[in-house]
Each structure stands twice: as structure tokens, then as C-alpha cells.
């Protein structure tokens, strides 16, 4: 509190707590004036409610699996930023595609090898698998295990010295890619029901044929059996 001397108007700073409720006498240190200074009235303090700022939100530590802000400073929206459990990386489809492609390439390679072998070595294939001859026949290819084909079979009859002479002719061709020995040819006469009536074998003039080479044969039979309708020629088997 501030005290003012009524005589010389000198002002002093005093402690209000040292004044009793009834006041006290005070002496001026400058002029010696003595006066009674009443105790200061208690100050009426009016409580004023001041606005209290709302508490600042404390941001919780962000889990490591939250979406991080992008390079341009914009991250995902709050409603989209949800904790996501870490997931193992999805397996890529490339190894499976590569394996599938390799399988198809291998299959195509096998098919090409078979096609080349079928076209270049038909006779060797027929030797190993005789039933494949029928497959070649369906493709319009006459293939035999020997690598030789019999073709241009012709027959004719004429009277000579009072009897019928049957003449049979044909050709042999080496259709393989290597030189082939020429086996004997078996000629048979069959009736209209394809039943064999008579047969005989002949030896062609050539012993071997080079690739693409051909040779002809001619054979004659006196007094062929009655009922003979067709002539069938094939290569003779061992022992025939």
C-alpha cells in the first residue's frame, strides 16, 4: 500500500499486512509528522470466469503400418487411414507364366521333331511300327518297311501253242533316302472274293536300288487257274 504524509506529501510504500484492523500511527521520515493511518480495506476481488482454451489434441504415435504421406505432402484422408495388419507380399505370376511357356515350347518342339521324322524317315518308322503303314496310306503315301514300292501292276492273257499264257508286269521304286536291296516279288491270283488260287515268286533283275531308282519285272504263267479274277503282287517274306 502507498502512504502519503499529510504535511509534506512525501509518499511511502508500506506493507499492508503489517497494519492491524484498527490502523496505526505513522511518522514521516522527512518532516517528522505523525498521523494515524487506518488499516486498508480488504480488496473485493470479483471472480471473472475467463475462457479456458480447449485442450490440444495429443497425436498418438502412428503405427508403422499406417499409410505414410506421399511425396507431394498429401497423405490419405483420416477416414481412410486405418491400421492394416502387415500382409505377406502376393506371389507374382511370372514364374508360373514362364513355366507354362516353357512347357508349351517343349511340346511344340516334340511335335516338330515327330513331324520331321515322319516326313523324312517313313520307312524306318514303318519298320519299327508296321501299323503306321495304314496311317501313311490315309495320308496318300504308300510306304513299306523295305523302302521299296511295287506299282504299275498290269496283266494280260494270250493264246500260245494252244494254251493261255498270263503275263504280269510291274515296277519297283526305291522311295527311301538310302540304297535298298531288292527282295523277291510274290505274285498271286485271287478270285472275285479275294481268295488266293495260286501264287509264285520271281527275282527282279536289279539287286539293289539307289534312292529314287526304279526297275521293272515281267513274269509269265501258263494255263492260269480258272476263276482267277485279280493279280496281287507284294514282296516275298522270308521262307516263301
Amino acid at each position: 500500500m502507498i502512504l502519503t504524509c499529510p504535511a509534506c506529501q512525501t509518499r511511502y510504500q508500506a506493507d499492508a499486512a503489517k497494519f492491524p484492523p484498527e490502523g496505526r500511527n505513522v511518522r514521516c521520515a522527512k518532516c517528522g509528522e505523525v498521523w494515524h493511518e487506518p488499516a486498508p480495506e480488504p480488496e473485493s476481488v470479483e471472480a471473472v470466469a475467463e475462457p479456458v482454451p480447449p485442450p490440444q489434441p495429443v497425436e498418438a504415435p502412428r503405427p508403422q503400418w499406417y499409410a505414410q504421406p506421399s511425396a507431394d505432402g498429401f497423405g490419405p484422408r483420416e477416414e481412410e487411414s486405418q491400421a492394416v495388419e502387415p500382409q505377406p507380399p502376393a506371389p507374382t505370376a511370372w514364374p508360373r507364366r514362364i513355366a507354362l511357356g516353357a512347357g508349351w515350347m517343349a511340346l511344340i518342339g516334340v511335335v516338330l521333331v515327330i513331324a520331321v521324322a515322319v516326313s523324312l524317315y517313313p520307312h524306318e518308322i514303318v519298320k519299327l511300327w508296321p501299323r503306321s503303314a495304314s496311317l501313311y496310306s490315309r495320308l496318300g503315301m504308300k510306304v513299306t518297311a523295305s523302302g521299296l514300292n511295287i506299282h504299275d501292276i498290269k496283266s494280260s492273257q494270250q493264246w500260245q501253242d494252244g494254251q493261255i499264257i498270263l503275263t504280269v508286269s510291274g515296277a519297283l521304286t526305291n522311295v527311301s533316302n538310302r540304297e535298298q536291296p531288292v527282295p523277291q516279288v510274290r505274285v498271286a491270283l485271287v478270285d472275285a472274293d479275294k481268295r488266293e488260287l495260286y501264287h509264285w515268286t520271281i527275282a527282279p533283275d536289279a539287286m539293289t536300288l539307289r534312292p529314287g531308282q526304279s526297275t521293272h519285272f515281267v513274269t509269265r504263267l501258263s494255263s492260269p487257274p480258272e476263276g482267277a479274277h485279280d493279280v496281287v503282287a507284294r514282296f516275298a517274306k522270308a521262307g516263301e
Side-chain angles (χ1 to χ4, degrees):
M1 59 180 295
I2 298 176
L3 304 180
T4 303
C5 178
C8 63
Q9 301 298 318
T10 303
R11 304 182 68 183
Y12 299 93
Q13 181 73 31
D15 188 1
K18 296 181 177 181
F19 281 75
E22 63 275 11
R24 61 178 295 182
N25 292 331
V26 180
R27 181 189 294 272
C28 178
K30 183 177 181 181
C31 67
E33 180 68 18
V34 178
W35 75 93
H36 180 77
E37 183 71 27
E41 296 182 0
E43 298 179 359
S44 59
V45 180
E46 181 180 358
V48 179
E50 297 182 357
V52 179
Q56 296 295 328
V58 179
E59 183 179 0
R62 177 171 297 185
Q64 293 182 357
W65 56 83
Y66 266 76
Q68 298 297 326
S70 58
D72 56 5
F74 295 94
R77 293 180 299 178
E78 183 178 355
E79 59 270 21
E80 295 178 350
S81 299
Q82 299 179 354
V84 179
E85 292 293 336
Q87 298 293 333
T92 178
W94 279 109
R96 183 179 179 183
R97 293 180 181 178
I98 294 175
L100 184 60
W104 277 109
M105 292 298 295
L107 179 60
I108 293 174
V110 171
V111 172
L112 291 177
V113 170
I114 294 175
V116 171
V118 167
S119 60
L120 296 182
Y121 307 100
H123 307 285
E124 286 75 4
I125 293 177
V126 172
K127 284 182 180 180
L128 297 174
W129 186 28
R131 293 185 179 181
S132 62
S134 61
L135 299 178
Y136 281 105
S137 178
R138 294 178 182 178
L139 296 175
M141 302 172 60
K142 188 175 181 181
V143 181
T144 61
S146 63
L148 302 175
N149 279 348
I150 301 177
H151 56 94
D152 295 337
I153 302 299
K154 299 177 182 179
S155 64
S156 62
Q157 293 183 1
Q158 59 184 357
W159 286 91
Q160 185 177 355
D161 298 332
Q163 60 181 351
I164 298 177
I165 304 297
L166 174 66
T167 302
V168 179
S169 63
L172 304 177
T173 301
N174 182 0
V175 294
S176 69
N177 55 3
R178 63 181 181 179
E179 187 174 3
Q180 298 287 351
V182 179
Q184 290 186 336
V185 177
R186 184 180 187 273
V187 181
L189 302 178
V190 298
D191 61 13
D193 296 329
K194 303 300 180 182
R195 290 178 297 185
E196 186 175 297
L197 302 177
Y198 184 77
H199 75 270
W200 70 100
T201 59
I202 60 174
D205 296 336
M207 300 295 294
T208 60
L209 292 176
R210 295 187 299 274
Q213 188 178 10
S214 299
T215 187
H216 293 80
F217 64 89
V218 178
T219 181
R220 294 177 176 84
L221 178 66
S222 300
S223 303
E226 295 182 2
H229 187 272
D230 291 318
V231 177
V232 178
R234 64 173 175 80
F235 292 109
K237 297 178 182 180
E240 289 183 334

